[in-house]
């Protein structure tokens, strides 16, 4: 079969499933995939896949897509905007802002965050462009990004002519690089009468954590014409963490339905779409219009207040199906399920009927809307294993490594290097399988101090590689052949070269797979060098 060229805008699953079926129908024995080597191929994980993904993951996904016949619980990707227009604009913005990757001062992965925010900005710009066309206006929409984080989304939207600003509890280093035209404010948002935005067209919640369910409420109360866009990630209720109540759904689907219910209960027609971003949490919810006329605003706000109060009495968990939801919750939820499967206008009557069934209405609460809401701490808590005792971390690393080594998998790395010794690269285990081998006290300590088992294993990147939820022993021959990926770059830099003992030299039964001269870590105490930090400390007066 002829090699398959990778088109930058291809709908992956449909095309690859078609290729697979063609192969089966014509009894072709092999499929090869080639990428175009040209200046436009800048792997971003969004439109242009990374070559490593093509080589290591695509074929297994292709086999699974060919045989699965499962209806997705989410909308099709980019179902609410023009795909052609989106693809063209994404390329333009990617070229325009790609240099941000080179100057990214944060500790986060620049490629993921830059290209993801470019993709989200593209979606919003197309959505707003189509909205202006529908309304026959030319004035560009204003916005406020609540919990804006690194501020790149605000920077892009502002540069593209939309007046707006971002607010976040904590200032980021990169804010100073954007210039005065990008308005970013350091401050906390506590949902109340004082945190309204009456002159703003759109409120944005891009991975806004504890503010996510509040954004439809703030938008609804800011003005009748205020709209919202939320991209939920972490699961928060109005106060505290969101607790699961339905085992028949995935936690993600259940939380999306909850946020959708909030939007409907606030009087919005809510639409759902799936973005094209390098993230597992890529479903967005959009409130563009209302289910009631402007004359019913006072009545509707009474119902919002009642809904918020009903959530205050919501149990942290619901054993045995006890505590049935109130009428507005049930009506909104039922409408929400319909809404999440298709663009809604039909569900609004159900919401209004359910709300009208409630007798009486309390006046909107002055000041704070509900007690107990806590914005995140200004100082971000470090959860990267640094607070754990070194011997405890070493014990967990050794325990996991031995589990993998017991599943012996001998290899010699590059087939051309036949003179290399046979080396046990171990097998692989899922994170769940690894967790099952550790005692509950160890797992709780990891979760409390460093974010959990997966965080510890990823931070121990000298020893482990975590891919698609599976843990492997890291083969440093492959790391060097790959051209030093970002996590290996940090370990191979001149500043840290030979400043730590090689774990494999000290603990692996076959020793280190690399010769001492090529290994970035010390093979014995005689090779150890002082780190730059220690040198400066010793030189200081």
């Amino acid at each position: 079969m002829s090699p398959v060229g990778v088109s930058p805008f291809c709908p992956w699953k449909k095309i690859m499933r078609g290729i697979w079926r063609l192969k089966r129908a014509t009894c072709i024995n092999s499929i090869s995939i080639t990428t175009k080597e040209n200046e436009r191929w800048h792997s971003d994980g969004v439109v242009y896949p990374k070559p490593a993904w093509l080589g290591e993951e695509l074929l297994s996904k292709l086999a699974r897509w060919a045989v699965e016949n499962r209806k997705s619980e989410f909308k099709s990707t980019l179902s609410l905007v023009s795909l052609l227009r989106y693809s063209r604009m994404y390329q333009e913005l990617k070229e325009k802002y790609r240099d941000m990757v080179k100057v990214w001062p944060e500790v986060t992965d620049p490629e993921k965050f830059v290209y993801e925010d470019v993709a989200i900005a593209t979606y919003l710009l197309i959505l707003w462009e189509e909205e202006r066309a529908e309304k026959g206006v030319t004035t560009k929409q204003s916005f406020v990004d609540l919990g804006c984080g690194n501020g790149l989304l605000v920077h892009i939207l502002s540069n593209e002519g939309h007046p707006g600003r971002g607010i976040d509890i904590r200032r980021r280093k990169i804010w100073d690089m954007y210039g005065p035209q990008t308005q970013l404010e350091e401050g906390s948002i506590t949902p109340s009468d004082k945190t309204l935005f009456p002159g703003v067209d759109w409120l944005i919640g891009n991975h806004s954590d504890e503010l996510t369910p509040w954004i439809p409420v703030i938008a609804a109360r800011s003005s009748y014409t205020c709209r919202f866009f939320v991209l939920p990630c972490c699961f928060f209720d109005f106060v505290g963490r969101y607790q699961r109540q339905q085992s028949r759904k995935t936690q993600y689907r259940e939380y999306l339905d909850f946020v959708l219910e909030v939007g409907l209960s606030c009087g919005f027609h809510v639409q759902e779409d799936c973005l094209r971003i390098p993230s597992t949490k890529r479903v967005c919810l959009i409130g563009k219009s209302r289910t009631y006329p402007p004359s019913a605003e006072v009545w509707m706000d009474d119902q919002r207040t009642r809904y918020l109060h009903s959530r205050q009495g919501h149990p942290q968990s619901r054993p045995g199906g006890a505590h049935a939801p109130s009428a507005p919750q049930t009506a909104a939820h039922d409408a929400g399920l319909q809404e999440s499967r298709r663009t809604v206008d039909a569900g609004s009557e159900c919401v209004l009927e359910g709300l009208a069934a409630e007798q009486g209405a309390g006046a909107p609460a002055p000041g704070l809307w509900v007690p107990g809401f806590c914005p995140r701490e200004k100082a971000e808590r470090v959860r990267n294993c640094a607070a754990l005792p070194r011997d405890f971390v070493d014990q967990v690393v050794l325990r996991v490594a031995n589990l993998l080594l017991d599943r012996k998998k001998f290899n010699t790395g590059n087939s051309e290097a036949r003179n290399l010794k046979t080396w046990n690269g171990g097998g692989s285990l899922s994170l769940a399988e690894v967790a099952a081998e550790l005692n509950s006290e160890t797992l709780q300590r990891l979760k409390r101090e460093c974010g959990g088992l997966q965080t510890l294993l990823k931070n121990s990147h000298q020893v482990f590689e975590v891919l698609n939820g599976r843990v492997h022993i890291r083969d440093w021959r492959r790391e060097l052949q790959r051209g030093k990926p970002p996590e290996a770059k940090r370990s191979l830099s001149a500043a840290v070269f030979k400043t730590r003992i090689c774990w494999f030299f000290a603990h692996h039964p076959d020793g280190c797979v690399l010769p001492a001269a090529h290994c970035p870590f010390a093979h014995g105490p005689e090779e150890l060098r002082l780190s730059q930090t220690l040198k400066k400390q010793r030189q200081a007066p």
Side-chain angles (χ1 to χ4, degrees), residues 15 26 93 117 153 187 193-194 220-221 253 266 297 330 358 367 381 389 399 425 434 438-439 453 459 497 504 507 541:
I15 288 183
T26 57
L93 295 181
D117 282 353
L153 180 60
D193 293 343
K194 296 180 180 179
R221 287 181 163 174
R253 179 69 261 172
C266 287
E297 182 60 50
T330 304
E358 292 288 331
R381 185 183 174 193
R399 171 70 173 138
V434 173
L438 302 177
N439 61 54
L453 174 63
N459 286 348
F497 189 76
F504 296 99
H507 299 287

Side-chain angles (χ1 to χ4, degrees), residues 13 17 73 93 145 155 173 229 232-233 249 256-257 269 282 303 332 388 441 495 514 528:
K13 287 194 177 183
R17 190 179 286 119
E73 57 183 346
L93 295 181
D145 187 349
H155 178 63
K173 298 175 186 176
F229 167 95
C233 180
K249 296 181 182 178
L256 289 171
D257 287 342
H269 291 295
R282 56 195 191 99
Q303 310 313 311
L388 290 170
E441 183 181 347
L514 296 176
L528 274 174

Side-chain angles (χ1 to χ4, degrees), residues 225-275:
T225 58
C226 188
R227 289 86 81 191
F228 74 85
F229 167 95
V230 291
L231 181 61
C233 180
C234 299
F235 307 140
F236 283 88
D237 208 319
F238 290 114
V239 176
R241 289 278 183 174
Y242 179 82
Q243 299 296 326
R244 294 199 66 179
Q245 299 167 49
Q246 299 184 39
S247 59
R248 59 189 177 85
K249 296 181 182 178
T250 64
Q251 186 178 18
Y252 184 40
R253 179 69 261 172
E254 183 183 342
Y255 186 69
L256 289 171
D257 287 342
F258 162 62
V259 179
L260 188 147
E261 175 189 289
V262 174
L264 290 167
S265 299
C266 287
F268 283 98
H269 291 295
V270 183
Q271 297 172 290
E272 179 179 305
D273 207 353
C274 197
L275 304 185

Side-chain angles (χ1 to χ4, degrees), residues 35-192:
T35 61
K36 298 176 181 178
E37 295 293 338
N38 60 38
E39 295 181 358
R40 293 189 63 210
W41 187 280
H42 301 291
S43 299
D44 56 11
V46 181
V47 172
Y48 290 94
K50 296 179 181 295
W53 182 84
L54 291 173
E56 298 171 9
E57 298 183 42
L58 176 59
L59 290 180
S60 62
K61 290 180 181 290
L62 176 57
R64 188 179 77 249
W65 295 339
V67 298
E68 70 180 9
N69 189 23
R70 183 181 63 182
K71 187 176 181 180
S72 174
E73 57 183 346
F74 304 114
K75 295 277 290 184
S76 299
T77 303
L78 306 179
S79 62
L80 298 180
V81 298
S82 165
L83 183 59
L84 181 60
R85 180 78 183 107
Y86 175 91
S87 299
R88 288 174 177 169
M89 182 177 287
Y90 175 77
Q91 290 302 312
E92 293 170 5
L93 295 181
K94 181 183 168 187
E95 290 298 315
K96 190 172 181 179
Y97 297 102
R98 54 182 285 202
D99 286 344
M100 293 297 301
V101 173
K102 301 175 184 176
V103 297
W104 193 256
E106 306 292 330
V107 297
T108 50
D109 181 0
E111 288 195 355
K112 179 186 186 302
F113 282 88
V114 171
Y115 294 133
E116 181 171 317
D117 282 353
V118 167
I120 296 169
T122 303
Y123 185 88
L124 286 170
L125 291 171
I126 298 297
L127 187 74
W128 294 346
E129 185 180 86
E130 293 178 353
E131 182 185 61
R132 293 196 301 274
E134 291 170 8
K135 295 182 176 181
V137 298
T138 56
T139 304
K140 291 192 173 181
Q141 297 89 334
S142 60
F143 69 93
V144 173
D145 187 349
L146 301 179
C148 63
N150 59 53
L152 180 56
L153 180 60
V154 177
H155 178 63
I156 296 173
L157 295 175
S158 299
N159 272 3
E160 299 307 312
H162 288 269
R165 59 193 170 111
I167 306 173
D168 199 275
I169 189 69
R170 182 167 51 86
R171 186 178 187 84
R172 305 302 201 274
K173 298 175 186 176
I174 197 171
W175 286 13
D176 296 326
M177 299 175 59
Y178 293 137
Q181 78 282 359
T182 302
Q183 297 183 38
L184 299 169
E185 302 172 13
E186 187 177 12
S188 62
I189 297 290
T190 299
S192 68

Side-chain angles (χ1 to χ4, degrees), residues 307-370:
Y307 176 71
L308 290 175
H309 289 172
S310 75
R311 290 297 303 184
Q312 281 184 267
H314 210 267
Q316 293 300 300
S317 59
R318 185 168 55 184
H323 185 83
S326 63
Q329 287 176 291
T330 304
H333 180 68
D334 291 341
L337 293 179
Q338 298 173 12
E339 196 78 22
S340 66
R341 302 305 191 271
R342 64 181 186 273
T343 301
V344 188
D345 285 342
S348 58
E349 291 84 350
C350 300
V351 181
L352 291 175
E353 288 172 8
L355 291 170
E358 292 288 331
Q359 299 298 317
L368 294 177
W369 294 338
V370 299

Side-chain angles (χ1 to χ4, degrees), residues 17 49 51 68 94 121 133 145 183 192 206 249 264 269 290 296 301 327 355 373 418 425 428 457 468 498 501 517 536:
R17 190 179 286 119
E68 70 180 9
K94 181 183 168 187
D145 187 349
Q183 297 183 38
S192 68
N206 173 19
K249 296 181 182 178
L264 290 167
H269 291 295
R290 305 295 176 96
D301 198 56
L355 291 170
F373 175 84
R418 301 187 182 277
S428 73
L457 297 177
N468 302 319
K498 300 290 187 181
I501 290 289
K536 289 178 181 178

